[in-house]
Amino acid sequence: MTTAFFQTSQDIAAPAAVVWRVLSRVADWPAWTPTVSSIEPLDGPELRPGARFTVRQPRLRPATWRVSSIEPNEGFTWTMRTVGVTASAFHRVSATSEYTSMVVLSIGFSGPMAAVIWLLVGRITRRYVVREALSLKRASEQAFRP
């Protein structure tokens, strides 16, 4: 059961394949979003089920995320577990036309401590997810040269 959930979407003036290329190279996120200081691949840089990445973000503790599912060219989910809470982040890209797409980013917290953790980090988490979507838009549109 998810105790807290937040989702945002963003229209992007770039094909879904371009957006996926930017999004799926998670180790490169610090280059295009200020909400991520560093990402350290623990099992190689490939985005695949079971791969782990330590994510460092301003004002938050480092967290190790494990890829739980991936749909190539469409999206992936990864989870982070700590005492009393599991966080799941969903990243989806869909084409809206040949040259435009939409990204949906969401995060959910579950477990006995989820409500407490959400009270502590919910505001910054919401702000970061929105900022990540806007940063992904900017990076993808810069990467796309029609």
Side-chain angles (χ1 to χ4, degrees):
M1 180 177 122
T2 300
T3 302
F5 181 82
F6 179 74
Q7 179 173 293
T8 191
S9 62
Q10 183 65 54
D11 291 319
I12 301 176
V18 172
V19 179
W20 174 253
R21 187 172 62 242
V22 173
L23 179 65
S24 65
R25 294 176 180 165
V26 296
D28 293 341
W29 287 10
W32 56 262
T33 183
T35 64
V36 176
S37 304
S38 69
I39 294 185
E40 178 185 356
L42 301 178
D43 305 304
E46 182 184 353
L47 193 64
R48 58 177 172 70
R52 296 169 300 141
F53 299 85
T54 297
V55 179
R56 288 177 177 78
Q57 296 181 273
R59 300 180 55 204
L60 295 174
R61 297 178 64 124
T64 298
W65 292 81
R66 180 183 303 270
V67 177
S68 51
S69 68
I70 184 166
E71 297 170 45
N73 301 310
E74 293 180 23
F76 74 96
T77 301
W78 59 9
T79 58
M80 183 276 302
R81 288 179 170 72
T82 190
V83 178
V85 67
T86 297
S88 297
F90 310 92
H91 312 77
R92 297 287 178 254
V93 178
S94 59
T96 53
S97 78
E98 184 178 0
Y99 297 109
T100 62
S101 56
M102 177 189 293
V103 67
V104 176
L105 304 178
S106 58
I107 188 162
F109 291 83
S110 60
M113 296 297 295
V116 172
I117 296 298
W118 188 252
L119 284 174
L120 295 173
V121 301
R123 184 174 175 188
I124 193 169
T125 298
R126 288 188 303 271
R127 214 170 45 237
Y128 279 9
V129 172
V130 169
R131 185 72 184 266
E132 288 162 10
L134 290 169
S135 296
L136 178 60
K137 171 185 174 64
R138 186 180 67 249
S140 298
E141 289 175 354
Q142 287 175 350
F144 176 54
R145 304 286 184 242

